[in-house]
Amino acid sequence: MDKDEIHLRRLPAAAPWGPHADSEFHGVDFLPGDLNEAPEETGMRVNKKYSCLPAEEKGIHIINIRAIEDIGYDQHESTLLNSLSKNPDADCKYGLYFRDGKRKVDYILVYHYKKSSAGKTLTRRVHHNDSSARSTKQDQPLPGKGVQLEMRESEPHVDYHEDDKRFRREEYEGNLVEAGLELERDEDTKIHGVGFVKIHAPWNVLCREAEFLKLKMPTKKMYQINQTHGLLKKINSVIQKITEPIQPKVAEHKPQTVKRLSYPFSREKQHLFDLSDRDSFFDSKTRSTIVYEILKRTTCTKAKYSMGITSLLANGVYSAAYPLHDGDYEGENVEPNDRKLLCEEWASYGVFYKYQPIDLVRKYFGEKIGLYFAWLGVYTQMLIPASIVGIIVFLYGCATVDENIPSMEMCDQRNNITMCPLCDRTCSYWKMSSACATARASHLFDNPATVFFSVFMALWAATFMEHWKRKQMRLNYRWDLTGFEEEEEAVKDHPRAEYEAKVLEKSLRKEHKQKETDKEKLTWKDRFPAYLTNFVGIIFMVGLTFAIVFGVIIYRISTAAALAISSTPSGRSSVRVTVTATAVIINLVVIIILDEVYGCIARWLTQIEVPKTDKNFEERLIFKAFLLKFVNAYTPIFYVAFFKGRFVGRPGDYVYIFHSFRMEECAPGGCLMELCIQLSIIMLGKQLIQNNLFEIGIPKMKKFIRYMKLKRRRSLDHEEHMKKKQRYEVDYNLEPFAGLTPEYMEMIIQFGFVTLFVASFPLAPLFALLNNIIEIRLDAKKFVTELRRPVAVRAKDIGIWYNILRGIGKLAVIINAFVISFTSDFIPRLVYLYMYSENGTMHGFVNHTLSSFNVSDFQAGTAPNDPMDLGYEVQICRYKDYREPPWSENKYDISKDFWAVLAARLAFVIVFQNLVMFMSDFVDWIIPDIPKDISQQIHKEKVLMVEVFMREEQGKLQMLETWKDNDKKKGENCNNHSPRLPRSRSGSLSSCHSYPLDV
């Protein structure tokens, strides 16, 4: 039989169907089979529950579970019979097991089929018809193709597309059975037109695949974990008692004193492993991983089109594939399971103050998701000291605001400093004292403590990275990933469906030209149009972001000019605050919208590149999405921090956009306060809207829409509505798992807000901490209750995200150095204090930073329309800059003070950057990546494993020597008592040598 074909013998046409009418066959589709045919030749394993036919009537072979109307029985009669019999769903724990109640469901394949609604209660007749079968490569029909259903009404139109899908499914499922898996089909579900294939991996398949995947499994050998002694032991016990109330109540989280030695599973060395309970030796996560590997490896071949599970899903042959959750997480009489425990001790807002049960998360979801939540937990913990220091810095600013001499001078109305107009013609002269509130508020964030906080946060970022590396090594040791290399996973990583389709298309084109072709693969020439599209697309998106920021700048300038015309003094005084707040809100809305747009565009750009493996696809997607979202989130902040007020010009010679809009200036207190407002609104708004709207609101809306659709379908069939849903039906209605990229991306962007501009907003770590406390439980609830169970993926680190975090940490040092030196007034104050101050205080600093302008030097048409707005005629107005006065020979030229301040600023950037970088590298060097106790335990494991194998080898040698000695003695005994005849002696000797050996 051809390996790509499935042959089933058919029952003779005269086979009697009637005698089984009163048997329990509800929901089962029979296909003809031969009495003496082996079970291995069928497409599915036989259910024991339905195989209890008399010996003389076993011509019927059960292969698929389907609806009752397919075998010619009346629906109401079968319902009556089932109501009198025992509930089969309870035996299989409502879908967690096969119908026999013994074999566990490890994986589910879902497909759509067309079901005729007109034939619900029609009696059907089944007979044999050879000509009705649609033949493919083989002469005999595929399973189910030799049966034709005749209805009282007209036959529905044949859908050859659906037939093609069905042929592919049957071939693929036949290949899965050949691979050793056991399948069971169910189409009698509450969801119309949706069928389920339940997959079970028997013990021999699990052992074979575990050996192939090199899965580390616990052996019988146990060893003592090194414990601390003396003072450290007492300190640890005290800490454990203090933290006991915030520890989750799960067995996996308790400190362990012994650990089982782990070793890659081998069928030849099964005696090393504890196989006393085979059902629990491979947990549900491992079983689903093994089945998924088989699904990826198995293909169905139609002509030259080889399709794995990814291709079948992409082409709609199957609509979904997923492992099952362990059971229900809420409700009465729910059996204890890991999902319920996770929901109570992890995915609940009521336990926000507790540690996460990371080991249980890893046990249920796998290492990759476990590492994400472990990283998120470490990041949130490390935000606690950063938040405390940030609050102290903020409180220091609040305490010293009344002692700040520059802000006191700005607020002193006796100084009578008249400032130049903020815009042409419509704006008038104004008093500096009117900006008193802004100056006092800016001191809260622009004070000497913020410099210390910037240094602290740079060292904090380095410490966080080192702390995570150590935590990661502890988890690798605990989860038996120390010898695991991701290169091994890369070897087993199968090509994506899109890549296979492109390669097929290329090979078909070549075959058209030449007959013999080697195995094809995509080269850079094939991908060049995609690379060009990527480059142009990314440049366009970055340009679009800059254009939007530029548009917001135009809005700010024009709105400020419009509000300045306001006749009310209160309106004029609040112009700057109004413009800043509205512009930031516009930026926030645009950022959130473009975030979603850029995420879709990054995915599309990655798809047209056609990466070969899922890992390559994920890494390229992360790079593009991060680049676009980074530019989108931080461009408005970069503008305020480094560009606003830098290219304004001076009174009488301003810089104009489109010859009409004058570039906006910073407030007299500097741009740092505006940067703080921008940063806080964007950060808080992004977190609140994305968390509440996107992560809570949208999934609930989708769930509600699915519920309404199902409710509408259920109303059509009351009997199906009364049945309890199977586990795989419930999980099918959950959202599919979309990967960890959106979760990581959100946290990485937040990490940038916390570190990049922390000099302007010391409270950023506090708001990030409050967000993350909710985020952990929100993500946990989503994973446990709203998503299908993802396939467990082994990983020993967080991958490319670690490099992105390190890059942001290094960039943060540079940006904070420029923020302190160029955006804040920290350097000008130092220069004034040590170079220009007459009495060593900050008195006169404000006057020193202002230059003078003679109002007679205004360009024609730019002077104020109402020069007497302040009640007196203005001769000289002031503006913030270091320029020569109008009575100087080189009037309005840049003064020497400007160059002195610029030199000090650049010197500060160089010193600050190198000093902090050196301190960060010193922290990296002084903290070892691998904790000492973990390195000792890893070494101990290696020594113990060598001892185990040496002992095993010695045992084998001793047994061999014992066998040889016994064999020698037997031979001597045989020689002493042997008969005289040679033939008889030979026979006796041969019997002597047949000594059984069990090693």
Side-chain angles (χ1 to χ4, degrees), residues 51 79 110 135 138 174 204 341 371 439 535 621 624 626 673 704 757 815 844 846 857 915:
S51 59
T79 306
V110 187
S135 61
Q138 63 266 46
N204 61 325
L341 189 59
L371 281 171
F535 178 75
L621 174 63
K624 293 181 186 66
F626 175 73
M673 183 60 198
F704 177 73
F757 296 94
I815 289 177
V846 173
D857 293 330
L915 178 65

mmCIF file of all heavy atoms in Angstrom, residues 51 79 110 135 138 174 204 341 371 439 535 621 624 626 673 704 757 815 844 846 857 915:
data_model
loop_
_atom_site.group_PDB
_atom_site.id
_atom_site.type_symbol
_atom_site.label_atom_id
_atom_site.label_comp_id
_atom_site.label_asym_id
_atom_site.label_seq_id
_atom_site.Cartn_x
_atom_site.Cartn_y
_atom_site.Cartn_z
ATOM 1 N N SER A 51 -17.367 -0.958 20.106
ATOM 2 C CA SER A 51 -16.911 -2.136 19.379
ATOM 3 C C SER A 51 -17.464 -3.432 19.984
ATOM 4 O O SER A 51 -16.907 -4.489 19.786
ATOM 5 C CB SER A 51 -15.386 -2.176 19.359
ATOM 6 O OG SER A 51 -14.900 -2.216 20.670
ATOM 7 N N THR A 79 -32.237 10.157 20.572
ATOM 8 C CA THR A 79 -32.221 11.003 21.763
ATOM 9 C C THR A 79 -32.877 10.288 22.935
ATOM 10 O O THR A 79 -32.401 10.332 24.070
ATOM 11 C CB THR A 79 -32.954 12.327 21.472
ATOM 12 O OG1 THR A 79 -32.370 12.918 20.329
ATOM 13 C CG2 THR A 79 -32.851 13.274 22.651
ATOM 14 N N VAL A 110 -9.381 21.254 14.551
ATOM 15 C CA VAL A 110 -10.745 21.715 14.271
ATOM 16 C C VAL A 110 -10.866 21.987 12.778
ATOM 17 O O VAL A 110 -9.943 22.534 12.170
ATOM 18 C CB VAL A 110 -11.070 23.003 15.069
ATOM 19 C CG1 VAL A 110 -12.535 23.373 14.911
ATOM 20 C CG2 VAL A 110 -10.720 22.831 16.541
ATOM 21 N N SER A 135 -12.352 9.693 -7.448
ATOM 22 C CA SER A 135 -11.033 9.089 -7.306
ATOM 23 C C SER A 135 -9.960 10.155 -7.362
ATOM 24 O O SER A 135 -10.087 11.166 -8.009
ATOM 25 C CB SER A 135 -10.814 8.081 -8.432
ATOM 26 O OG SER A 135 -10.869 8.724 -9.669
ATOM 27 N N GLN A 138 -5.358 7.062 -6.075
ATOM 28 C CA GLN A 138 -5.592 5.646 -5.885
ATOM 29 C C GLN A 138 -6.862 5.202 -6.580
ATOM 30 O O GLN A 138 -7.750 5.966 -6.854
ATOM 31 C CB GLN A 138 -5.642 5.316 -4.386
ATOM 32 C CG GLN A 138 -6.782 5.988 -3.657
ATOM 33 C CD GLN A 138 -6.343 7.288 -3.041
ATOM 34 O OE1 GLN A 138 -5.679 8.067 -3.718
ATOM 35 N NE2 GLN A 138 -6.733 7.529 -1.834
ATOM 36 N N GLY A 174 -4.561 9.956 8.269
ATOM 37 C CA GLY A 174 -4.013 8.614 8.061
ATOM 38 C C GLY A 174 -2.519 8.583 8.330
ATOM 39 O O GLY A 174 -2.006 7.639 8.949
ATOM 40 N N ASN A 204 4.352 4.542 23.914
ATOM 41 C CA ASN A 204 5.531 4.292 23.071
ATOM 42 C C ASN A 204 5.867 5.501 22.205
ATOM 43 O O ASN A 204 7.037 5.804 21.965
ATOM 44 C CB ASN A 204 5.308 3.045 22.206
ATOM 45 C CG ASN A 204 4.125 3.209 21.270
ATOM 46 O OD1 ASN A 204 3.139 3.841 21.626
ATOM 47 N ND2 ASN A 204 4.215 2.650 20.074
ATOM 48 N N LEU A 341 -6.112 26.292 40.082
ATOM 49 C CA LEU A 341 -5.145 26.781 41.069
ATOM 50 C C LEU A 341 -4.485 28.072 40.601
ATOM 51 O O LEU A 341 -4.305 29.026 41.379
ATOM 52 C CB LEU A 341 -4.089 25.696 41.320
ATOM 53 C CG LEU A 341 -3.111 25.925 42.478
ATOM 54 C CD1 LEU A 341 -3.857 26.066 43.790
ATOM 55 C CD2 LEU A 341 -2.118 24.768 42.562
ATOM 56 N N LEU A 371 9.182 32.391 31.471
ATOM 57 C CA LEU A 371 10.266 33.386 31.519
ATOM 58 C C LEU A 371 9.733 34.804 31.359
ATOM 59 O O LEU A 371 10.249 35.741 31.971
ATOM 60 C CB LEU A 371 11.292 33.089 30.423
ATOM 61 C CG LEU A 371 12.291 31.974 30.714
ATOM 62 C CD1 LEU A 371 13.101 31.645 29.474
ATOM 63 C CD2 LEU A 371 13.225 32.365 31.856
ATOM 64 N N ALA A 439 7.336 78.710 36.608
ATOM 65 C CA ALA A 439 8.700 78.691 37.141
ATOM 66 C C ALA A 439 8.769 77.879 38.442
ATOM 67 O O ALA A 439 9.702 77.092 38.638
ATOM 68 C CB ALA A 439 9.171 80.118 37.395
ATOM 69 N N PHE A 535 12.374 48.634 3.035
ATOM 70 C CA PHE A 535 13.170 49.853 3.233
ATOM 71 C C PHE A 535 12.324 51.100 2.947
ATOM 72 O O PHE A 535 12.273 52.028 3.761
ATOM 73 C CB PHE A 535 14.392 49.814 2.311
ATOM 74 C CG PHE A 535 15.259 51.038 2.405
ATOM 75 C CD1 PHE A 535 16.088 51.239 3.497
ATOM 76 C CD2 PHE A 535 15.227 52.008 1.405
ATOM 77 C CE1 PHE A 535 16.874 52.371 3.582
ATOM 78 C CE2 PHE A 535 16.009 53.137 1.484
ATOM 79 C CZ PHE A 535 16.844 53.323 2.583
ATOM 80 N N LEU A 621 10.034 40.568 12.831
ATOM 81 C CA LEU A 621 8.837 41.316 13.213
ATOM 82 C C LEU A 621 9.112 42.208 14.416
ATOM 83 O O LEU A 621 8.705 43.382 14.449
ATOM 84 C CB LEU A 621 7.698 40.339 13.531
ATOM 85 C CG LEU A 621 6.415 40.951 14.095
ATOM 86 C CD1 LEU A 621 5.788 41.900 13.083
ATOM 87 C CD2 LEU A 621 5.422 39.866 14.471
ATOM 88 N N LYS A 624 11.222 45.342 13.362
ATOM 89 C CA LYS A 624 10.458 46.363 12.632
ATOM 90 C C LYS A 624 9.438 47.043 13.543
ATOM 91 O O LYS A 624 9.313 48.279 13.545
ATOM 92 C CB LYS A 624 9.741 45.738 11.437
ATOM 93 C CG LYS A 624 10.657 45.235 10.351
ATOM 94 C CD LYS A 624 9.858 44.665 9.208
ATOM 95 C CE LYS A 624 10.746 44.016 8.180
ATOM 96 N NZ LYS A 624 11.442 42.828 8.670
ATOM 97 N N PHE A 626 9.421 47.285 16.800
ATOM 98 C CA PHE A 626 10.065 48.114 17.825
ATOM 99 C C PHE A 626 10.571 49.420 17.230
ATOM 100 O O PHE A 626 10.399 50.495 17.833
ATOM 101 C CB PHE A 626 11.220 47.355 18.471
ATOM 102 C CG PHE A 626 11.998 48.198 19.455
ATOM 103 C CD1 PHE A 626 11.462 48.517 20.687
ATOM 104 C CD2 PHE A 626 13.247 48.683 19.125
ATOM 105 C CE1 PHE A 626 12.165 49.306 21.582
ATOM 106 C CE2 PHE A 626 13.959 49.473 20.006
ATOM 107 C CZ PHE A 626 13.413 49.788 21.245
ATOM 108 N N MET A 673 9.734 71.717 32.140
ATOM 109 C CA MET A 673 8.390 71.534 32.684
ATOM 110 C C MET A 673 7.446 71.032 31.592
ATOM 111 O O MET A 673 6.619 70.137 31.819
ATOM 112 C CB MET A 673 7.874 72.861 33.261
ATOM 113 C CG MET A 673 6.515 72.756 33.914
ATOM 114 S SD MET A 673 6.552 71.581 35.268
ATOM 115 C CE MET A 673 4.823 71.240 35.465
ATOM 116 N N PHE A 704 -18.286 38.784 23.793
ATOM 117 C CA PHE A 704 -19.727 39.043 23.791
ATOM 118 C C PHE A 704 -20.318 38.783 22.407
ATOM 119 O O PHE A 704 -21.401 38.197 22.282
ATOM 120 C CB PHE A 704 -19.980 40.493 24.215
ATOM 121 C CG PHE A 704 -21.434 40.891 24.186
ATOM 122 C CD1 PHE A 704 -22.319 40.424 25.153
ATOM 123 C CD2 PHE A 704 -21.922 41.718 23.183
ATOM 124 C CE1 PHE A 704 -23.646 40.783 25.121
ATOM 125 C CE2 PHE A 704 -23.251 42.078 23.142
ATOM 126 C CZ PHE A 704 -24.117 41.610 24.121
ATOM 127 N N PHE A 757 14.001 59.489 29.752
ATOM 128 C CA PHE A 757 13.815 60.898 30.111
ATOM 129 C C PHE A 757 13.511 61.049 31.603
ATOM 130 O O PHE A 757 12.755 61.921 32.000
ATOM 131 C CB PHE A 757 12.670 61.498 29.284
ATOM 132 C CG PHE A 757 12.956 61.532 27.809
ATOM 133 C CD1 PHE A 757 12.544 60.502 26.980
ATOM 134 C CD2 PHE A 757 13.671 62.580 27.253
ATOM 135 C CE1 PHE A 757 12.802 60.534 25.627
ATOM 136 C CE2 PHE A 757 13.942 62.616 25.894
ATOM 137 C CZ PHE A 757 13.503 61.595 25.081
ATOM 138 N N ILE A 815 20.961 60.143 26.575
ATOM 139 C CA ILE A 815 19.825 61.074 26.506
ATOM 140 C C ILE A 815 19.702 61.878 27.789
ATOM 141 O O ILE A 815 19.482 63.098 27.751
ATOM 142 C CB ILE A 815 18.529 60.295 26.202
ATOM 143 C CG1 ILE A 815 18.559 59.802 24.756
ATOM 144 C CG2 ILE A 815 17.296 61.159 26.437
ATOM 145 C CD1 ILE A 815 17.370 58.970 24.356
ATOM 146 N N GLY A 844 20.436 87.348 40.851
ATOM 147 C CA GLY A 844 20.799 87.950 39.572
ATOM 148 C C GLY A 844 20.878 86.961 38.436
ATOM 149 O O GLY A 844 21.181 87.350 37.297
ATOM 150 N N VAL A 846 18.449 85.245 36.866
ATOM 151 C CA VAL A 846 17.408 85.445 35.856
ATOM 152 C C VAL A 846 17.788 86.592 34.936
ATOM 153 O O VAL A 846 17.675 86.508 33.710
ATOM 154 C CB VAL A 846 16.047 85.693 36.533
ATOM 155 C CG1 VAL A 846 15.003 86.061 35.485
ATOM 156 C CG2 VAL A 846 15.601 84.476 37.320
ATOM 157 N N ASP A 857 13.774 98.371 16.755
ATOM 158 C CA ASP A 857 14.428 97.509 15.769
ATOM 159 C C ASP A 857 13.516 96.410 15.234
ATOM 160 O O ASP A 857 13.977 95.523 14.519
ATOM 161 C CB ASP A 857 15.676 96.853 16.377
ATOM 162 C CG ASP A 857 16.757 97.887 16.679
ATOM 163 O OD1 ASP A 857 16.807 98.895 15.968
ATOM 164 O OD2 ASP A 857 17.542 97.667 17.632
ATOM 165 N N LEU A 915 31.471 58.645 32.860
ATOM 166 C CA LEU A 915 31.472 58.238 34.266
ATOM 167 C C LEU A 915 30.374 57.206 34.525
ATOM 168 O O LEU A 915 30.617 56.155 35.148
ATOM 169 C CB LEU A 915 31.277 59.468 35.162
ATOM 170 C CG LEU A 915 31.212 59.198 36.673
ATOM 171 C CD1 LEU A 915 32.555 58.648 37.158
ATOM 172 C CD2 LEU A 915 30.854 60.459 37.441
#
